[in-house]
Amino acid sequence: AAANNFLRISEKLEELFRELIQLGDMSGNAINMLEGCRGDLVSTFCNDAVYSAEKAHSYIFQPIRKSLSEKIFDHAWLNLTHNELALSLTRTLGEFINDKITFLDEFLVSKLVFSILKATVIFYLECIIRVAGNKSKGNLPFFHDASVAIKRFEDDISILRDFFESTITLIALPSMPKAYARELEILSIVNELLIIAARNSSEEDLSEDNATNLILQLHKYLEDIKITRWLVGDIWYLVQPKQKKKIKSFVLNQKQMLHEVSIAKKTRHERECVQELEVGIILTDIYDKRKNRRKLQSQRWRFKRVKVGWNK
């Protein structure tokens, strides 16, 4: 409702300023000043309309996170041969979008769908990071049969792609915009890196194995070398935990190339930017929390050792 209201206000402002100018009896300077004010006000309300439409994704992902975030990439997920969790996710998203289509302006519906797509990609990244963060220490991989996990993830991505393509048809867009395809590509890159990690590649084989190119592509989205390094490390940790330090070192050695391919982000006003849809912000927050949690655990462990020493 807020998104529609902001859009209607911007349209009314356009009409009002047009009528004022048509009244005449204004100097050229006055008209120019009025045009400037009109542009600023209309732009502000249009941006607020888009922000409200994009922000709406959070209402559907709150229950999704509660019901699915602990299940995707878990061992039970591997045994779901028909990708039931991905299908459940898309059904929930479809019901939410269909409900909003009935009253949301067509322009804003496309913004809502794109925000849901971005949130879906971030959700999957959150899940894979959670699994890697919860994995017990040791040299045994979390995915004991990496080929099953890779196939399951690949099928999940296919289900998501089919869902958003059909949704785009529903909202009368002629084809999947490039921006939509680019968002889904992030998950495909992660899956390709899982495939390479599962091959037990040595550091010398990584560049030949297309890992360098995939890491560079992933970095275009993440833009932060630290986040890229951590995420790639987590991917390896799930299937080749012995090589986690090696792959993180490998990523660090590509530092110059990563700087060169980084895409300069367009700065957006804080009011326009939906923080929950900025993958770099979300992943930074997740890794910072993990780092702080482990630091606290380490401090507790050291305190216990000191306490034991006191009791001797």
Side-chain angles (χ1 to χ4, degrees):
N4 274 339
N5 288 339
F6 284 129
L7 196 62
R8 297 291 173 267
I9 290 171
S10 69
E11 291 170 355
K12 290 294 183 183
L13 282 170
E14 284 274 17
E15 294 175 10
L16 177 61
F17 277 100
R18 194 161 46 244
E19 290 173 2
L20 284 172
I21 292 172
Q22 288 174 352
L23 288 175
D25 297 330
M26 286 190 189
S27 66
N29 288 337
I31 291 175
N32 289 337
M33 186 177 69
L34 205 58
E35 285 286 356
C37 292
R38 178 196 63 80
D40 290 342
L41 279 171
V42 170
S43 176
T44 296
F45 282 106
C46 280
N47 288 335
D48 285 347
V50 171
Y51 177 89
S52 298
E54 291 178 342
K55 186 71 176 177
H57 82 277
S58 60
Y59 297 107
I60 188 60
F61 271 93
Q62 286 175 357
I64 285 173
R65 282 189 170 86
K66 286 182 180 178
S67 62
L68 295 180
S69 64
E70 297 292 323
K71 298 176 182 177
I72 291 180
F73 293 115
D74 207 346
H75 289 119
W77 170 79
L78 295 173
N79 299 322
L80 298 174
T81 55
H82 298 292
N83 298 77
E84 288 87 343
L85 294 183
L87 290 170
S88 173
L89 171 63
T90 53
R91 276 196 301 271
T92 303
L93 295 177
E95 290 169 2
F96 180 76
I97 291 170
N98 286 334
D99 180 55
K100 297 296 175 283
I101 284 176
T102 57
F103 65 86
L104 202 58
D105 184 271
E106 188 176 306
F107 164 71
L108 295 175
V109 169
S110 66
K111 297 296 182 182
L112 172 65
V113 172
F114 187 50
S115 73
I116 288 174
L117 170 57
K118 292 180 73 174
T120 302
V121 170
I122 290 172
F123 173 67
Y124 263 81
L125 293 178
E126 287 174 349
C127 290
I128 203 166
I129 292 170
R130 175 192 59 79
V131 170
N134 292 341
K135 178 190 174 301
S136 58
K137 291 183 178 180
N139 294 327
L140 291 176
F142 180 82
F143 295 134
H144 301 298
D145 190 341
S147 62
V148 174
I150 289 164
K151 181 66 169 67
R152 197 71 66 242
F153 191 19
E154 182 182 311
D155 290 344
D156 274 14
I157 294 169
S158 179
I159 288 169
L160 294 175
R161 182 175 287 107
D162 289 345
F163 167 73
F164 282 105
E165 284 180 349
S166 63
T167 302
I168 284 163
T169 301
L170 181 67
I171 62 177
L173 287 177
S175 62
M176 180 177 279
K178 289 182 179 179
Y180 285 54
R182 280 198 301 270
E183 291 297 324
L184 282 172
E185 187 185 11
I186 302 175
L187 297 184
S188 297
I189 291 170
V190 170
N191 201 40
E192 287 294 322
L193 286 170
L194 275 171
I195 292 171
I196 292 174
R199 288 179 188 153
N200 196 25
S201 303
S202 65
E203 188 169 332
E204 291 75 22
D205 297 332
L206 288 172
S207 57
E208 299 175 5
D209 229 347
N210 199 33
T212 301
N213 184 44
L214 287 167
I215 290 168
L216 293 177
Q217 289 181 51
L218 183 64
H219 183 66
K220 287 181 181 179
Y221 298 103
L222 304 180
E223 298 185 323
D224 187 321
I225 293 176
K226 178 178 66 177
I227 300 302
T228 301
R229 184 167 169 256
W230 283 345
L231 180 56
V232 172
D234 277 350
I235 292 168
W236 252 255
Y237 191 51
L238 292 173
V239 292
Q240 295 291 349
K242 291 181 181 180
Q243 295 189 16
K244 181 177 180 179
K245 289 184 179 179
K246 185 182 291 185
I247 188 62
K248 290 178 77 173
S249 175
F250 176 80
V251 174
L252 203 57
N253 290 337
Q254 315 302 316
K255 191 173 183 179
Q256 184 58 41
M257 292 179 66
L258 294 174
H259 276 306
E260 291 173 1
V261 301
S262 291
I263 298 174
K265 274 195 154 182
K266 293 180 180 178
T267 56
R268 295 177 67 187
H269 194 283
E270 188 177 344
R271 181 170 59 173
E272 301 169 34
C273 179
V274 180
Q275 301 279 303
E276 303 96 314
L277 297 178
E278 297 294 321
V279 64
I281 292 174
I282 296 300
L283 266 56
T284 297
D285 184 56
I286 291 172
Y287 281 119
D288 283 346
K289 285 179 180 176
R290 181 201 286 184
K291 185 179 178 181
N292 292 335
R293 186 173 69 248
R294 289 180 175 174
K295 187 176 180 181
L296 183 61
Q297 289 171 346
S298 177
Q299 289 172 344
R300 286 173 177 169
W301 180 77
R302 284 199 297 270
F303 177 73
K304 284 182 180 180
R305 289 191 65 183
V306 171
K307 192 174 181 181
V308 169
W310 289 343
N311 293 333
K312 286 184 179 180

